[in-house]
Amino acid sequence: MEGKVALVTGGSGAIGQQVCLYLNRAGVKVVGATSRFDLETAQVLRKQAIAVGIEIDVVAFDAADFDDAGRAIAEVTKQYGAIDILVNCAGITRDAPLRKMTDSQWQQVMGVNLNSMFNSSRHVIEAMAERGWGRIINISSVNGQRGQFGQTNYSASKAGVHGFTMALAQEVARKGVTVNTVAPGYIDSPMIQAVPENIRTDILGNIPVGRFGQPRDIAAAVTFLCSPQASFITGAQIPVNGGYYMGH
Ligand code: CAA
């Protein structure tokens, strides 16, 4: 994948950071995107990467904002060349039972988890199709597949992620562009640490492999889907959940 350019939204998050590192190790020029309010965290990622001899650049934009995404993607393209790989990894939770959920909790999750895919993909898809090569990987969740108490917003957004994947995959299949979903299970990350401990213990007991996933488990699947060897895989959803859920 030498010479390819990748943009990873949510690049400063636990999974996003590992995706950046894995792609960079595979020879890709990686730009990690992060929300404008989180640029400082993103610089930490950059320093960590440099410490292990990896060069990652950082761009700040609000993935939930169409125009901001367009502005940032135009800047990245000008500086590094057209984007070959887009990993839509920006995601948040605002858990509450529906009876208590506010409009703001619903809208924030939809904006970052679902609208963001349109906002970024819309600005890269034309150039990918024109050049006849592209990879879009959308990060969903096991909770988009099976639902989760307290996550009507999150589960709806993550189920929507794969609907988007399947539709776009069909639109660009003849153009050398593949579009796939990776659906992580419970991954050892700040998002999971925020779940009340008794619930986390229950979840762990239901993961057949007996551990939470690591961010690198997701990064490895994403990197494979980006590779030339994965050119016949499109519109797929790859579960990476330690056996926690084996349905569709
Ligand atoms: N199934 C059935 N009942 C449940 C339940 C479940 N899974 N979880 C809680 N309840 C029950 C409680 O026992 C309690 O019952 P009683 O009222 O009879 O005592 C009731 O629901 C609690 O309801 P409340 O209105 O009081 O809820 P709350 O405001 O206290 O908290 C919550 C609800 C915030 C959703 C909390 O349960 C929670 O944080 N759950 C974890 C949600 C979760 O797993 N999120 C995943 C985050 S990680 C992620 O999303 C990454 C990924 O992709 C995997």
Side-chain angles (χ1 to χ4, degrees):
M1 285 186 277
E2 210 64 47
K4 300 282 189 212
V5 175
L7 179 69
V8 181
T9 74
S12 60
I15 292 177
Q17 287 189 25
Q18 284 301 309
V19 169
C20 289
L21 294 175
Y22 267 60
L23 285 177
N24 192 256
R25 280 195 199 123
V28 175
K29 170 76 219 168
V30 181
V31 183
T34 184
S35 78
R36 70 179 90 228
F37 308 107
D38 202 18
L39 196 52
E40 211 170 293
T41 320
Q43 296 299 357
V44 173
L45 155 70
R46 193 148 188 256
K47 284 195 191 123
Q48 280 175 353
I50 288 168
V52 289
I54 287 169
E55 183 67 30
I56 286 166
D57 281 322
V58 175
V59 63
F61 72 93
D62 179 0
D65 183 319
F66 181 74
D67 292 334
D68 205 24
R71 172 198 58 75
I73 287 170
E75 271 173 27
V76 169
T77 304
K78 200 168 160 200
Q79 198 170 345
Y80 304 99
I83 293 165
D84 303 291
I85 297 168
L86 170 66
V87 185
N88 284 310
C89 195
I92 58 168
T93 53
R94 294 289 182 270
D95 293 355
L98 187 69
R99 286 179 299 138
K100 294 182 180 171
M101 190 174 287
T102 63
D103 179 52
S104 161
Q105 287 175 317
W106 177 268
Q107 300 298 348
Q108 283 180 51
V109 167
M110 286 299 154
V112 177
N113 296 7
L114 190 60
N115 298 347
S116 60
M117 281 190 313
F118 170 76
N119 296 341
S120 292
S121 306
R122 180 67 182 84
H123 289 110
V124 302
I125 197 71
E126 201 58 54
M128 284 182 181
E130 269 169 22
R131 293 196 319 286
W133 200 93
R135 295 281 187 268
I136 296 182
I137 316 294
N138 300 316
I139 306 300
S140 176
S141 164
V142 67
N143 291 346
Q145 297 176 285
R146 64 179 284 282
Q148 167 62 39
F149 187 103
Q151 288 199 308
T152 50
N153 50 1
Y154 187 87
S155 296
S157 70
K158 292 299 191 179
V161 165
H162 191 52
F164 177 93
T165 291
M166 292 187 291
L168 183 58
Q170 293 177 38
E171 292 182 16
V172 292
R174 299 282 169 92
K175 304 286 183 189
V177 181
T178 67
V179 187
N180 290 291
T181 300
V182 172
Y186 280 81
I187 304 300
D188 190 8
S189 66
M191 204 182 254
I192 300 306
Q193 293 305 329
V195 172
E197 195 176 348
N198 59 326
I199 298 178
R200 247 187 302 138
T201 307
D202 278 356
I203 291 167
L204 183 56
N206 284 308
I207 302 176
V209 303
R211 66 168 176 89
F212 289 119
Q214 290 300 318
R216 63 174 175 271
D217 294 321
I218 308 306
V222 170
T223 305
F224 169 66
L225 288 170
C226 290
S227 71
Q229 289 85 346
S231 64
F232 201 57
I233 304 175
T234 196
Q237 174 156 248
I238 312 292
V240 185
N241 63 29
Y244 181 66
Y245 180 70
M246 301 181 184
H248 295 290

